[in-house]
Amino acid sequence: MHKILPLMLSVMSATVFGAETELESCLALADTERLACYDEKVKAAQKRRLQAERQEPAIATMNTGESQDPQQNTGAEAALIPVATILQSLWELDDSDKRGTFRVRTYQPNFILPVHYSSSINRQPQSPTRSGAEFQDNYKDIEAKLQVSLRAKVLEDFLLPNADLWFAYTQTSMWQLWNSEDSAPFRSTDYQPEVVYVIPTLDYLHKLPFGWSMQMLQLGFVHQSNGQSEPLSRSWNRVYAAAAFEREQVGFQIKLNKRITESPSEDDNPDLTSYLGTTELQLNWLPGRSTASLTRKMSWRDFSRGSWQLDLTYPINKQQPDGLRLHLQLFSGYAETLLDYNHRQNSIGLGVMLFNF
């Protein structure tokens, strides 16, 4: 410990001296440029401070010149990372987080759940305008669920300061993996291309009541369909507005959807929003190495419909939290897939989250 304190003090002194030197470099600029320079230097210093705070637990566990077995710390708690730090990095909300355009990153969780049990598998999907589907007697209650979701920034600093335009694509499939009688068909696949405009708001709404801050606004357009022919065809288009908030290790997002109307003859599912709802609330918690996410999709007119979904993950290797993670998913309600939008079921799935970058 007597060697650690001088090390920490020297780092702090170097940081303070470096910050003062950087601020002095702004003095020779004109008023407007000088203020922008100060703002940039302070933001950079704050980011370095956050990174240093996350490294302090590692410094505190250093031995005085002795080698340490990595296995000795497998039971130690991981350093808590604020949701704000993750959001700023994932969505590149600050100048220092920018990575440029057309670099592929993950979007929604990417996972495979080889064991996914439904309390009521949908053997004969139907809608008010699409009926007559064949009854699938051989469908099994246990299947597999897969999701792949990617995104890339197409425009950077677009229209507003630090605001970016992203393109995203998500594909979710229900696979009758254990159904050997029908040669393991894919029961349902949803395709979802999306355009998202992300506006950072931390500079304007940094301090909200009870320690909360607002990180960003999102405006988006989504097309979602299952790519099947009638009578199994399901699709809809929508626009949405979303806002993301955080408080330490807790994040909260609210999304409001507005369906784009279609002609009655082309509408595969005219009553979709009465089951799925138009509001999405999501609560995220990052207690160390674990992650927990609770999603509620609902309509303010009928609280008995919509859905609840709980996702829990934990790293398979504690030393690599960004690697493969065990993934437990619980679902209850309507519209786990588009084909099941008016079919109520409870389901549980177990598998792995593939990657996150």
Side-chain angles (χ1 to χ4, degrees):
M1 187 66 185
H2 63 282
K3 292 185 178 181
I4 296 174
L5 286 175
L7 174 63
M8 294 180 65
L9 290 173
S10 64
V11 171
M12 292 172 62
S13 299
T15 302
V16 172
F17 178 76
E20 291 178 351
T21 302
E22 290 182 354
L23 290 176
E24 288 176 357
S25 65
C26 301
L27 292 175
L29 300 176
D31 290 346
T32 304
E33 295 177 347
R34 185 169 65 252
L35 290 175
C37 179
Y38 285 150
D39 186 55
E40 180 181 352
K41 301 299 183 184
V42 170
K43 284 183 178 180
Q46 290 175 339
K47 188 174 184 66
R48 289 195 298 269
R49 178 179 55 79
L50 287 173
Q51 292 173 343
E53 288 174 355
R54 294 200 298 271
Q55 294 171 356
E56 282 179 9
I59 297 175
T61 58
M62 290 173 56
N63 243 325
T64 57
E66 298 179 4
S67 61
Q68 189 171 16
D69 184 359
Q71 299 298 325
Q72 293 179 358
N73 287 330
T74 55
E77 288 297 324
L80 299 178
I81 301 177
V83 172
T85 303
I86 296 176
L87 284 176
Q88 290 170 16
S89 175
L90 288 178
W91 286 104
E92 304 177 19
L93 300 180
D94 191 59
D95 282 333
S96 58
D97 298 311
K98 301 297 184 185
R99 297 188 181 184
T101 56
F102 300 106
R103 300 188 63 173
V104 177
R105 307 189 65 178
T106 52
Y107 181 33
Q108 304 293 347
N110 290 263
F111 59 78
I112 176 170
L113 310 178
V115 180
H116 181 270
Y117 169 77
S118 172
S119 63
S120 176
I121 202 78
N122 192 1
R123 292 184 167 84
Q124 191 175 28
Q126 57 184 337
S127 78
T129 57
R130 304 289 184 260
S131 59
E134 181 180 352
F135 185 82
Q136 301 293 335
D137 189 49
N138 291 334
Y139 276 177
K140 306 297 183 183
D141 293 334
I142 298 179
E143 54 187 359
K145 183 176 182 180
L146 307 87
Q147 180 166 286
V148 176
S149 184
L150 303 171
R151 63 192 164 102
K153 187 194 304 180
V154 293
L155 292 173
E156 192 169 87
D157 291 327
F158 180 59
L159 298 180
L160 295 174
N162 285 332
D164 302 322
L165 187 68
W166 297 75
F167 175 79
Y169 176 77
T170 303
Q171 181 171 315
T172 309
S173 297
M174 296 296 192
W175 180 17
Q176 285 277 297
L177 176 62
W178 312 107
N179 184 355
S180 58
E181 298 178 19
D182 290 340
S183 300
F186 279 83
R187 181 174 68 85
S188 172
T189 297
D190 292 341
Y191 309 92
Q192 182 174 300
E194 182 175 350
V195 177
V196 190
Y197 184 52
V198 180
I199 307 170
T201 57
L202 189 60
D203 289 343
Y204 315 104
L205 297 168
H206 176 58
K207 293 184 178 181
L208 297 177
F210 308 108
W212 286 88
S213 66
M214 184 174 176
Q215 293 291 316
M216 63 180 176
L217 285 172
Q218 292 181 328
L219 304 174
F221 168 79
V222 185
H223 168 77
Q224 187 179 24
S225 64
N226 65 356
Q228 299 199 43
S229 58
E230 297 181 8
L232 297 178
S233 175
R234 304 288 185 271
S235 66
W236 68 314
N237 298 315
R238 67 185 185 273
V239 294
Y240 69 80
F245 305 84
E246 66 82 25
R247 183 181 183 275
E248 298 178 351
Q249 282 73 48
V250 179
F252 175 74
Q253 178 170 307
I254 179 170
K255 178 185 291 185
L256 303 176
N257 295 288
K258 173 62 178 176
R259 185 179 184 184
I260 299 174
T261 57
E262 303 177 46
S263 64
S265 61
E266 296 180 355
D267 197 342
D268 297 321
N269 27 249
D271 56 345
L272 184 144
T273 55
S274 66
Y275 288 93
L276 175 61
T278 57
T279 301
E280 182 176 330
L281 308 175
Q282 187 175 78
L283 186 66
N284 299 293
W285 183 37
L286 307 178
R289 296 185 180 94
S290 306
T291 69
S293 177
L294 179 63
T295 304
R296 168 64 167 156
K297 295 181 180 179
M298 53 177 282
S299 169
W300 296 100
R301 298 179 179 179
D302 188 352
F303 291 98
S304 65
R305 293 184 176 180
S307 65
W308 293 89
Q309 181 170 305
L310 176 64
D311 291 272
L312 304 173
T313 76
Y314 192 82
I316 294 177
N317 184 346
K318 294 180 180 179
Q319 306 303 320
Q320 297 179 350
D322 292 334
L324 286 177
R325 303 178 70 91
L326 292 174
H327 188 174
L328 176 66
Q329 184 179 94
L330 304 174
F331 177 89
S332 179
Y334 294 91
E336 187 169 9
T337 70
L338 270 182
L339 199 59
D340 300 329
Y341 83 89
N342 55 0
H343 181 79
R344 186 179 185 89
Q345 60 186 314
N346 301 315
S347 67
I348 179 171
L350 181 63
V352 292
M353 182 179 291
L354 299 182
F355 49 79
N356 184 27
F357 59 86

